[in-house]
Amino acid sequence: MVTDYRGGDKMEQNRDSLDLLVLLFQNINNLGQIAKEVNQNSELVAKSLKDLEVYYQDLIKSIQGLNQEKSALLCQLDKVKMDIDLLEKEKKELEKAFANEHERVIELQRKKYEAMVELRRAQRELDKINDDLDIARRI
């Protein structure tokens, strides 16, 4: 390089330094803007996390409520099962009683038939006695 006594190289260097300083300040401004955006994003993330925490707390409450409902339904189911067991037992007892009554009805029908047979026999004997009486009266 040729040195100019009027300070040409220095001016060039100053201009380059000034350009570098301008770039440096632009970068600093850009970094400031990025920092603002990061801060805004951090606030949004914090708010989202807070909302998410509220959502999960509500979800936990809902799950607890569902668990209570489930417990109540399981208690009702146990009661229904016990009722069914009692009804089954009652049904078996009724079926047994019905079978016993059916046997009793059959026995009564048999006795009725025997009584009717006996009645017919007695009627025939009575008819025979009446016939004999009629014959004896005629004689």
Side-chain angles (χ1 to χ4, degrees), residues 72-82:
L73 288 173
L74 287 174
C75 287
Q76 287 179 348
L77 180 63
D78 287 342
K79 186 179 182 312
V80 167
K81 284 180 181 178
M82 289 179 4

Side-chain angles (χ1 to χ4, degrees), residues 29-53:
N29 285 336
N30 287 342
L31 286 174
Q33 186 62 34
I34 289 172
K36 272 186 192 175
E37 290 174 7
V38 166
N39 190 33
Q40 288 172 349
N41 288 341
S42 295
E43 289 173 2
L44 288 174
V45 167
K47 185 182 180 323
S48 294
L49 287 174
K50 193 81 162 165
D51 291 345
L52 197 57
E53 181 182 2

Side-chain angles (χ1 to χ4, degrees), residues 52-85:
L52 197 57
E53 181 182 2
V54 169
Y55 170 77
Y56 279 118
Q57 287 173 349
D58 289 344
L59 193 59
I60 288 169
K61 287 177 186 174
S62 295
I63 289 171
Q64 289 170 341
L66 289 173
N67 281 336
Q68 288 175 348
E69 286 181 39
K70 176 185 168 187
S71 294
L73 288 173
L74 287 174
C75 287
Q76 287 179 348
L77 180 63
D78 287 342
K79 186 179 182 312
V80 167
K81 284 180 181 178
M82 289 179 4
D83 289 346
I84 288 172
D85 290 343

Side-chain angles (χ1 to χ4, degrees), residues 126-139:
L126 183 61
D127 287 345
K128 188 176 178 188
I129 290 172
N130 281 334
D131 286 346
D132 287 346
L133 280 174
D134 281 343
I135 292 175
R137 280 187 203 142
R138 286 187 202 154
I139 299 185

Side-chain angles (χ1 to χ4, degrees), residues 88-106:
E88 284 291 329
K89 185 177 177 182
E90 216 175 289
K91 176 186 170 194
K92 286 178 183 177
E93 290 173 1
L94 288 172
E95 286 174 344
K96 184 178 177 183
F98 179 75
N100 289 340
E101 288 300 314
H102 184 67
E103 288 176 17
R104 186 168 168 251
V105 166
I106 290 173

